[in-house]
Amino acid sequence: MRSAGFRFKQFHVNHDRCAMKVGTDGVLLGAWADVNSAQQILDLGTGSGLIALMLAQRSAAESQIHAVELDSAAAQQAQENVAASPWAEKVHVYQQDVFTFCQQTLVKFDLIVANPPYFESGIACRDTQRNTARYVIQSHVAWLEAAYSCLTPQGKISFVLPFEAAETLLKSTALSCITRCDVVTKAGKTPQRVLLTFSAQAQQTAYQQLTIYDAQNQYHADFIALTKDFYLAW
């Protein structure tokens, strides 16, 4: 019998042993990242395996997804979620520090994604697992540089970050931001999250905006269109 988790149209994610649960940030990144022509895909800090499974659903049949997670309990649960999915042969989970993985891998990736920790150090959580998942230990620049070290020349790196963290990262890297999507929780509000895609190839930034709820507190048509292949509600 499955433990409590989250059911999507084509797969189920259990997350009771993961510090960070299935949430909107991960769903946004998994649905938004550009998988076109991506044969080798890397998910840094996969947690429950949510984003890796979303990318497995969206990418070509021959694509391979590598999902890296430091926490042993989360990595084990991600592996179980993958094994129970339609893409058990397509997704590979590694229990390892993401920086060590990027330094040691011989694979070059066409797409690298991350939903990294983003809280500044503050009041300690009740356990070290949640501390690691929530708080910035390595800077987002370090995450971006680690990803770039194993990127193909034409490859792309996509992150989801809070608005202020995204602004800081954009000012701190020489990589070209080729797509920026500001995420508005409710119509009329200021952006709270930002989806970013970087490339080593210099390009003008393409700007997008995504609204989750409209003024009547109903899901916005753009959000439904982005996530329709995953959420059961539509």
Side-chain angles (χ1 to χ4, degrees), residues 24-234:
T24 303
D25 287 2
V27 171
L28 286 170
L29 182 59
W32 181 82
D34 183 6
V35 298
N36 289 328
S37 303
Q39 297 296 304
Q40 296 288 344
I41 300 171
L42 175 60
D43 177 18
L44 296 175
T46 196
S48 64
L50 166 67
I51 296 172
L53 288 169
M54 293 181 73
L55 297 177
Q57 179 179 323
R58 295 179 55 224
S59 58
E62 65 274 14
S63 298
Q64 294 292 301
I65 293 89
H66 305 255
V68 184
E69 172 57 45
L70 175 62
D71 182 75
S72 58
Q76 178 62 38
Q77 188 148 59
Q79 182 57 61
E80 292 169 5
N81 288 331
V82 167
S85 79
W87 309 287
E89 302 302 317
K90 186 175 179 178
V91 181
H92 315 280
V93 178
Y94 306 85
Q95 196 266 301
Q96 193 172 14
D97 173 74
V98 297
F99 298 95
T100 303
F101 179 90
C102 290
Q103 289 170 355
Q104 295 180 349
T105 183
L106 299 178
V107 180
K108 293 295 183 181
F109 296 94
D110 306 300
L111 172 66
I112 301 175
V113 299
N115 177 15
Y118 52 74
F119 289 104
E120 296 297 329
S121 296
I123 298 173
C125 300
R126 61 185 178 273
D127 58 54
T128 55
Q129 182 193 38
R130 192 160 173 80
N131 270 333
T132 301
R134 285 172 60 87
Y135 293 123
V136 176
I137 298 173
Q138 298 277 3
S139 72
H140 296 137
V141 174
W143 278 73
L144 191 59
E145 290 175 346
Y148 177 66
S149 71
C150 53
L151 191 69
T152 61
Q154 304 298 323
K156 298 175 181 179
I157 304 168
S158 292
F159 280 16
V160 58
L161 289 170
F163 185 85
E164 290 185 1
E167 289 288 323
T168 298
L169 180 58
L170 288 167
K171 294 173 184 176
S172 306
T173 179
L175 288 178
S176 178
C177 176
I178 60 173
T179 313
R180 170 181 177 153
C181 180
D182 289 347
V183 180
V184 176
T185 304
K186 184 179 177 180
K189 302 290 186 180
T190 58
Q192 296 296 308
R193 293 287 184 271
V194 182
L195 294 156
L196 300 168
T197 295
F198 295 92
S199 170
Q201 310 297 318
Q203 296 181 38
Q204 291 278 17
T205 304
Y207 290 93
Q208 304 172 356
Q209 182 168 298
L210 177 71
T211 302
I212 297 178
Y213 291 100
D214 63 21
Q216 288 72 46
N217 290 318
Q218 301 298 310
Y219 281 111
H220 194 282
D222 291 345
F223 180 73
I224 292 174
L226 180 69
T227 60
K228 62 182 175 60
D229 291 336
F230 299 99
Y231 281 137
L232 294 173
W234 41 76

